[in-house]
Amino acid sequence: MGSQAAPDDVHITIETQQTALVIRVDKEKIATIVHLGPKLRNTAEYAAIPANGKRGEDYTGIYNSAYTSAGSRNLLEPAIQVTHADGNPSLDLKYVRHETQSIADGVVLTKVYLKDPQYPFEVTLFYKAYQKEDVIEQWSSIRHTEKKPVVLQKYASANLYIPAQNYYLTHFHGDWANEMNPSEVPLTEGIKILDSKLGTRADLFQPPSFLVSLNQPADEDRGEVIAGTLSWSGNFQLAFEVDPLHNLRIIPGINPYASAYTLAPGVEFTTPAFLFTYSNKGKGGASRSFHRWARKHRIPQGEGNRLTLLNNWEATYFDFNEEKLGALFKDGKKLGVDLFLLDDGWFGNKYPRNNDKTGLGDWQENVKKLPHGLGYLVKEAESAGIKFGIWLEPEMVSPKSELYEKHPDWVIKLPNRSEYYFRNQLVLDLSNPKVQDFVYGIVNDLLTKNPTLGYIKWDCNAVIYNAYSATIQNQSNLYVDYVQGLYKVLERLRTKYPTLPMMLCSGGGGRVDYGALKYFTEYWPSDNTDALERVFIQWNYSYFFPSIASCNHITDWGKQPIKFRTDVAMMGKIGYDIVVSKLTEPELQFSQQALKTYENIKNVIWKGDLFRLASPYTNDVASAIYVSESQDRAVWFTFLVKNRYKAGSTAPIKLNGLDPAKNYRIQELNVYPGASSAINKNTATYSGNYLMTIGFDPQVDTRRTSVVLEITDVK
Ligand code: GLA
């Protein structure tokens, strides 16, 4: 039966500025969650929360366990399930103690120690509370000293518990070039699972990120929302269970699929972290919390600078030589970008990388295409006045490569089955420390030989087929050890090269997760760069990831004019993947000016607060504004997303995030050469109060399909 609050119960409170997660430990030493939501003014009052108040009586008293263990009296989805060394399949976790310490300015870490009373098996729950950002990072560590290994059948990162009247889950789905399509569904009794089994990446079909709106469907500015994302770049499982008492249990973690993990005595297993934020200001509030947190605490140089770049992928594909590249450097300089990024196709000699079937793994310059080597190109670019960066896909190998010939045992594949290829390639076995050294060595050598190399695009285009390692002892450890091996390599690289800008790409947006983003300054959202599609794709990533990390490139995909493409790309980190010499004179002039404008407004976009004003899913336009922290500047983007007669912004759009007491001037940016802006003829100023109550019409219609407005405080 559900335990009642008793005077000697222990209450562990994990608090941020706005939110509290409260764990109660009863006299039986059972740890349960009794509150997740707004924090109380008086901490002492957490003790008054009735243990069974909202949720009613349950048979086991542990429906709301802080970390549900399987095998004894549990009836619901467990967070952890183990088979002990002696074959006993049950786990009982009792509270031992907890400690709370401030580990950095505004960061408080709480550790809750749990232990099985019968076995030398311990779990520690970690809760890192980022005060100002209202984000909680939760993970667990598992350790035992049994006589032989223990098998971890399931080992979730967290186990949340939330009672509400109704639950609306927003999750995302898609495929290559079609990332991040949202679906909002009411959760009913039973379990909804979001997961992936791709091995090298979390996403192709579903990302490890979601929003749950409590009581009513999610709104941008109102209502209670829990937003969560798992920091793990491999197989994940997010389980949402509405229990028999209609309370929501959220259990996110590594996917237990084919991953029963054999854990040796004395070795600590640390789960990936689950990040979540509670907002009572709708989805907008939740996403702003994630953005602030990611910039300050997660993404390298999250509050620093980024380089604009010109990439040659869509301009040349595999077909280039030094001369062509030399011309592209000059074009990049003329355009006004900071860096030239050489994409796929520069390597391989025995099996030259002239298409996507050969050469991966042979990271030596192709002597026909680049007879003078990379060092020469770096210098050539520098003398043309721009930096040079390079594409790598270091975890992968082509079946036709010298690497595969030399080290067949470094490749993930089953011994007695035919090889299956994903984009004509196989995956290197990063669970093997020798392979980790090889991958580290590739990047380290490149950077040692070319110390001024300014940028790396790290790609990962394959999933794991035929999962089997030639060296690992327990095959079902492979999926986990792969990702941990990758993180080890990245950790070593980041320690040696802490400030190198690195883009994370995975056949499009396969690795947009905070596990990988600990090491990368930016991510590639999708290979789909059609600007109209990008309005939607970027819109959905923005619930979790800040604009400073979103690589938005202007390419020739789609039918949108260069102004529309540029305006869309400006909502993040701008880049180009076009043939500059094919631009018309007005297009070039527009682009050169746009880059100058971007220089001036980029910090508002990257570091400001994002408010979504009109959703492309329910309006003719998509509209969003970035407001600087001091509310003195804002950049406002509006795009036409429907093409019907009279489609457009027919009425004022209400702004958000401004200071009601300030007066603002509105100016249109990125006006195309020869066009004029009626908005720029208007010299009126408006109070923030007016703009947020009445609004302003950006005058978007079929003749003005994208409009960027700068809003400046008039002192
Ligand atoms: C992937 C990436 C592209 C490009 C190609 C190169 O598809 O997403 O941007 O780098 O690989 O092969």
Side-chain angles (χ1 to χ4, degrees):
M1 283 294 143
S3 58
Q4 292 296 319
D8 52 353
D9 285 353
V10 176
H11 285 84
I12 307 167
T13 53
I14 293 133
E15 288 183 325
T16 64
Q17 224 165 51
Q18 307 287 338
T19 307
L21 172 66
V22 183
I23 296 171
R24 169 178 296 150
V25 181
D26 65 15
K27 60 179 186 318
E28 307 291 333
K29 304 288 177 210
I30 302 293
T32 51
I33 294 180
V34 292
H35 178 65
L36 170 54
K39 90 177 188 195
L40 297 182
R41 289 188 188 178
N42 177 2
T43 314
E45 284 194 314
Y46 290 125
I49 302 173
N52 60 356
K54 282 183 185 168
R55 67 194 171 91
E57 294 293 323
D58 78 55
Y59 293 108
T60 61
I62 55 167
Y63 286 6
N64 59 335
S65 168
Y67 202 63
T68 314
S69 54
S72 58
R73 70 180 190 282
N74 170 52
L75 296 173
L76 303 178
E77 182 64 19
I80 181 164
Q81 183 184 5
V82 311
T83 308
H84 292 282
D86 64 2
N88 186 315
S90 71
L91 182 66
D92 194 8
L93 289 175
K94 297 263 171 134
Y95 167 86
V96 180
R97 68 190 166 90
H98 73 277
E99 58 195 40
T100 297
Q101 58 183 139
S102 169
I103 53 168
D105 188 24
V107 188
V108 177
L109 178 65
T110 302
K111 296 182 199 168
V112 182
Y113 296 90
L114 308 172
K115 192 183 165 316
D116 190 313
Q118 300 301 330
Y119 286 88
F121 189 101
E122 293 161 19
V123 173
T124 307
L125 307 179
F126 293 82
Y127 300 86
K128 219 189 223 186
Y130 298 87
Q131 306 301 298
K132 279 199 208 120
E133 298 80 16
D134 277 314
V135 167
I136 297 177
E137 183 177 11
Q138 186 187 346
W139 71 97
S140 50
S141 81
I142 303 167
R143 203 176 160 275
H144 71 90
T145 49
E146 299 188 18
K147 292 206 170 63
K148 283 190 287 177
V150 167
V151 181
L152 311 180
Q153 315 283 358
K154 186 175 182 188
Y155 33 93
S157 299
N159 188 167
L160 299 184
Y161 182 83
I162 312 146
Q165 292 307 316
N166 294 299
Y167 313 96
Y168 295 88
L169 170 68
T170 304
H171 61 103
F172 302 86
H173 60 94
D175 205 330
W176 178 78
N178 184 25
E179 288 85 349
M180 295 299 277
N181 300 288
S183 285
E184 185 172 26
V185 290
L187 291 170
T188 53
E189 271 68 9
I191 302 184
K192 165 102 182 160
I193 299 260
L194 305 175
D195 81 339
S196 75
K197 305 180 180 78
L198 306 158
T200 52
R201 54 206 266 182
D203 187 18
L204 175 62
F205 310 128
Q206 318 196 61
S209 306
F210 67 88
L211 302 144
V212 172
S213 181
L214 306 179
N215 303 311
Q216 70 241 331
D219 184 273
E220 189 57 35
D221 303 309
R222 277 171 296 271
E224 293 181 90
V225 169
I226 307 260
T229 182
L230 187 73
S231 17
W232 185 245
S233 314
N235 298 351
F236 71 88
Q237 184 189 76
L238 309 173
F240 302 86
E241 179 172 32
V242 178
D243 75 13
L245 300 171
H246 199 65
N247 302 303
L248 178 64
R249 308 173 72 243
I250 304 179
I251 305 180
I254 290 177
N255 198 339
Y257 162 77
S259 294
Y261 199 89
T262 302
L263 185 67
V267 177
E268 182 155 317
F269 182 91
T270 304
T271 72
F274 173 64
L275 292 151
F276 66 96
T277 179
Y278 164 86
S279 153
N280 51 20
K281 293 197 177 61
K283 296 186 278 187
S287 45
R288 286 186 289 281
S289 296
F290 267 142
H291 296 171
R292 284 195 214 109
W293 170 83
R295 287 193 299 259
K296 190 162 169 56
H297 298 286
R298 179 53 56 109
I299 298 177
Q301 286 92 57
E303 295 179 316
N305 194 23
R306 294 291 182 277
L307 302 172
T308 57
L309 62 83
L310 173 67
N311 188 3
N312 71 312
W313 176 239
E314 288 180 30
T316 65
Y317 293 104
F318 296 96
D319 180 21
F320 55 82
N321 55 29
E322 282 175 354
E323 206 186 325
K324 264 197 193 174
L325 295 179
L328 293 179
F329 301 159
K330 288 186 193 119
D331 283 349
K333 179 66 190 167
K334 189 158 137 200
L335 184 62
V337 294
D338 302 316
L339 179 128
F340 176 81
L341 170 64
L342 175 59
D343 213 283
D344 197 356
W346 58 268
F347 49 89
N349 285 300
K350 183 169 175 192
Y351 302 106
R353 181 79 172 164
N354 291 330
N355 55 52
D356 66 10
K357 294 197 172 56
T358 56
L360 277 182
D362 301 344
W363 299 103
Q364 297 81 33
E365 296 93 325
N366 176 280
V367 292
K368 277 208 186 116
K369 287 185 196 170
L370 310 179
H372 298 94
L374 279 179
Y376 168 80
L377 282 181
V378 176
K379 286 206 188 82
E380 281 292 283
E382 283 168 359
S383 54
I386 60 175
K387 295 185 179 187
F388 184 83
I390 198 142
W391 178 95
L392 285 170
E393 192 175 5
E395 299 157 72
M396 310 284 149
V397 59
S398 302
K400 278 203 171 159
S401 65
E402 292 183 73
L403 182 67
Y404 190 16
E405 285 173 355
K406 253 188 255 157
H407 297 286
D409 59 327
W410 283 11
V411 176
I412 293 180
K413 57 174 181 137
L414 280 164
N416 53 357
R417 300 240 179 239
S418 29
E419 289 178 1
Y420 287 109
Y421 304 126
F422 193 98
R423 206 200 182 200
N424 312 306
Q425 62 201 52
L426 290 158
V427 179
L428 290 176
D429 178 8
L430 274 173
S431 71
N432 179 346
K434 280 190 193 146
V435 179
Q436 292 169 19
D437 287 345
F438 168 79
V439 172
Y440 171 81
I442 294 300
V443 189
N444 185 42
D445 285 356
L446 207 64
L447 290 164
T448 310
K449 279 190 207 138
N450 306 289
T452 56
L453 200 74
Y455 190 90
I456 282 180
K457 174 177 174 184
W458 182 301
D459 212 336
C460 161
N461 282 307
V463 302
I464 294 180
Y465 282 155
N466 285 353
Y468 186 90
S469 158
T471 50
I472 206 171
Q473 265 197 335
N474 298 290
Q475 291 300 331
S476 60
N477 285 21
L478 178 60
Y479 281 127
V480 172
D481 287 355
Y482 181 89
V483 180
Q484 287 183 343
L486 169 69
Y487 290 165
K488 275 186 202 155
V489 173
L490 291 167
E491 192 70 49
R492 276 168 82 186
L493 285 170
R494 267 295 168 220
T495 308
K496 187 154 178 199
Y497 306 101
T499 57
L500 181 75
M502 295 212 290
M503 181 215 282
L504 177 60
C505 177
S506 183
R511 270 189 180 161
V512 189
D513 65 76
Y514 279 122
L517 280 171
K518 197 172 165 193
Y519 308 103
F520 292 86
T521 48
E522 50 224 70
Y523 68 86
W524 185 236
S526 175
D527 279 354
N528 189 339
T529 47
D530 175 331
L532 183 58
E533 292 291 323
R534 274 299 185 104
V535 169
F536 292 84
I537 294 172
Q538 292 169 196
W539 187 269
N540 291 305
Y541 279 118
S542 83
Y543 287 112
F544 309 95
F545 303 96
S547 61
I548 190 169
S550 177
C551 294
N552 303 343
H553 289 190
I554 295 148
T555 75
D556 288 329
W557 274 50
K559 298 193 180 77
Q560 302 301 327
I562 191 112
K563 169 167 165 56
F564 190 97
R565 285 180 271 157
T566 307
D567 292 353
V568 171
M570 275 199 182
M571 291 187 81
K573 210 218 87 169
I574 207 167
Y576 291 82
D577 200 343
I578 48 169
V579 184
V580 178
S581 59
K582 286 193 187 154
L583 293 177
T584 62
E585 195 44 45
E587 284 175 339
L588 178 64
Q589 205 188 318
F590 169 79
S591 305
Q592 289 166 327
Q593 182 53 45
L595 278 168
K596 288 189 188 121
T597 303
Y598 184 68
E599 201 50 37
N600 181 34
I601 58 172
K602 65 185 188 188
N603 276 312
V604 179
I605 299 166
W606 293 347
K607 296 160 199 174
D609 274 330
L610 168 66
F611 294 84
R612 296 179 207 87
L613 307 174
S615 162
Y617 293 94
T618 47
N619 295 278
D620 289 355
V621 297
S623 190
I625 189 168
Y626 297 89
V627 184
S628 69
E629 205 179 337
S630 54
Q631 296 169 303
D632 59 345
R633 281 180 86 192
V635 183
W636 175 20
F637 295 88
T638 307
F639 304 104
L640 187 72
V641 295
K642 297 222 170 70
N643 224 350
R644 300 204 58 186
Y645 178 61
K646 280 197 173 168
S649 60
T650 44
I653 294 174
K654 286 180 194 156
L655 302 194
N656 204 343
L658 301 175
D659 180 345
K662 285 195 161 101
N663 276 317
Y664 296 95
R665 184 164 36 98
I666 301 180
Q667 214 203 341
E668 182 165 356
L669 306 176
N670 289 0
V671 178
Y672 201 71
S676 69
S677 162
I679 292 172
N680 284 351
K681 292 190 186 117
N682 174 2
T683 52
T685 64
Y686 304 89
S687 68
N689 171 243
Y690 174 90
L691 291 171
M692 294 192 290
T693 312
I694 307 297
F696 186 87
D697 184 357
Q699 299 166 20
V700 169
D701 57 33
T702 46
R703 284 160 300 125
R704 283 166 53 84
T705 56
S706 71
V707 172
V708 184
L709 299 173
E710 184 182 13
I711 302 189
T712 323
D713 167 25
V714 188
K715 297 255 162 45

